Amino acid sequence: MQLIDGKKIAAEIRGDLKQQIASLKERGVTPGLATILIGEDAASHVYVSNKIKACDELGIRSFHHALSATVTAEEIVHLIRNLNGDSQVHGILLQLPLPKSLIDATDRCINEIDPAKDVDGLHPQNIGRLCAAKNWSAIEQQNMLVSCTPLGVIYMLKKSGLPIAGKRVVIVGRSNLFGKPAALLFLANDATVTMAHSKTVDLPSVCREADILVAAIGKPRFITAAHIKPGAVVLDVGINRTPEGIKGDVDFDAVKAVAGWLTPVPGGVGATTITMLMHNTIAAARRLAQ
Ligand code: NAP
């Protein structure tokens, strides 16, 4: 089994991004990312501070807005509208999930973000564009804003020299954040895609058809050796906090004996997600500066 090293791939991509930022700065444009964090959720605070740190390291301007959990949906919308109109802000990231009291306002807030600044790729217009994309070249050339984690998965495969075209891909998990955009990206790369979920019958045999198996379930060590075709590429998206630390959705120790390629957790898919956020911020800046 060969390990797919997310940290190494992220570092390589960040090298490319630094060059893109330098050329934007030569044209008088400094990419800017606004982050909105609502409430006190500890994990969200860590995620957002890592995003701001990544901006600092690359030379992207960051504008942080921390709001109390007692804020109203109207106040969030007001802030988003101001950021939409701010020419120094090229990307707007609303950290999800929103606190419980605001959870029903999630779609309304996402829909308020200018699609040209929607660096999380969650606005319906951006999902629609991805759906309509003819192929991967169109996605890259048009600087489309696509959900960061699935975009990272595609770059991990490409940077590892692993072919996607013609492969049987099984994605376990059909969330809007990961599973659905991942399926569209694999389709744009000419894979034959199956989406599995909690109602899938005989999941192990469906998974065993996969040349590339992607697990985004949210259940620690759920995918076992019984789900793996020998030699398959296995990408573990899961981030699960357990008493033994952060664990993926794949039982790493069991699966490594069967898989050909495997991502670790931590240090795998998660390591590329923030880099893709930076990639999207630069793409948005490039498009808005045209
Ligand atoms: P989600 O919205 O909770 O979706 C989970 C999906 O898994 C659902 O589609 C669900 O099916 C499916 N599922 C649940 N139990 C299943 C079962 N027994 N058999 C087959 N499918 C089952 O989760 P998400 O937001 O996509 O996240 C998934 C995991 O990825 C989480 O651990 C999350 O922390 C992690 N994640 C990591 C990153 C990163 O940066 N690496 C980014 C995003 C998410 P139904 O639709 O039928 O309910």
Side-chain angles (χ1 to χ4, degrees):
M1 185 276 296
Q2 297 201 52
L3 213 57
I4 304 178
D5 185 343
K7 280 189 188 161
K8 196 171 143 212
I9 292 167
E12 201 182 314
I13 297 170
R14 284 188 192 201
D16 296 342
L17 296 182
K18 276 186 186 160
Q19 289 178 11
Q20 292 178 33
I21 292 168
S23 77
L24 274 168
K25 284 187 176 173
E26 274 170 23
R27 291 164 48 199
V29 179
T30 300
L33 174 69
T35 49
I36 306 173
L37 175 60
I38 301 164
E40 297 305 327
D41 180 70
S44 293
H45 273 261
V46 172
Y47 288 140
V48 171
S49 67
N50 286 339
K51 288 166 188 178
I52 294 170
K53 205 170 126 209
C55 286
D56 292 344
E57 281 167 12
L58 286 175
I60 292 175
R61 235 181 242 144
S62 60
F63 306 89
H64 184 52
H65 298 268
L67 306 178
S68 131
T70 57
V71 76
T72 63
E74 281 65 34
E75 285 167 307
I76 304 171
V77 166
H78 182 72
L79 171 61
I80 290 172
R81 287 182 181 164
N82 281 341
L83 295 171
N84 285 343
D86 184 338
S87 62
Q88 289 196 318
V89 171
H90 302 101
I92 301 172
L93 177 121
L94 175 63
Q95 185 65 36
L96 300 177
L98 295 183
K100 277 202 183 88
S101 57
L102 288 160
I103 209 92
D104 291 343
T106 304
D107 286 350
R108 183 180 161 203
C109 293
I110 288 171
N111 293 351
E112 280 292 338
I113 297 174
D114 178 348
K117 298 188 177 188
D118 166 40
V119 281
D120 245 352
L122 293 175
H123 192 286
Q125 274 192 32
N126 286 322
I127 293 169
R129 282 195 187 106
L130 173 62
C131 218
K134 254 169 90 179
N135 50 37
W136 175 249
S137 305
I139 292 168
E140 284 206 307
Q141 281 161 19
Q142 292 169 34
N143 290 318
M144 278 188 198
L145 298 177
V146 178
S147 182
C148 299
T149 306
L151 194 59
V153 160
I154 298 294
Y155 274 102
M156 287 179 94
L157 293 170
K158 288 184 181 287
K159 294 275 179 193
S160 304
L162 292 165
I164 302 174
K167 299 293 177 192
R168 296 290 300 262
V169 175
V170 175
I171 301 165
V172 190
R174 55 177 163 180
S175 66
N176 288 341
L177 187 65
F178 183 82
K180 287 179 195 168
L184 293 168
L185 286 173
F186 275 109
L187 271 181
N189 279 283
D190 297 327
T192 302
V193 181
T194 300
M195 298 206 64
H197 44 77
S198 67
K199 309 294 185 297
T200 298
V201 175
D202 194 3
L203 185 69
S205 75
V206 173
C207 291
R208 279 197 305 274
E209 288 179 8
D211 302 310
I212 300 172
L213 177 66
V214 190
I217 308 160
K219 295 193 170 162
R221 302 192 192 93
F222 183 85
I223 298 291
T224 66
H227 294 80
I228 312 296
K229 170 167 144 179
V233 178
V234 181
L235 296 143
D236 188 353
V237 179
I239 298 181
N240 304 293
R241 285 171 179 77
T242 76
E244 304 96 65
I246 305 270
K247 298 286 169 197
D249 289 342
V250 175
D251 184 345
F252 186 91
D253 290 331
V255 166
K256 73 178 181 194
V258 192
W261 295 76
L262 180 56
T263 59
V265 177
V269 173
T272 61
T273 298
I274 290 181
T275 300
M276 288 299 118
L277 177 67
M278 302 296 113
H279 166 281
N280 279 353
T281 304
I282 295 162
R286 199 185 297 117
R287 227 172 46 182
L288 287 166
Q290 270 169 3

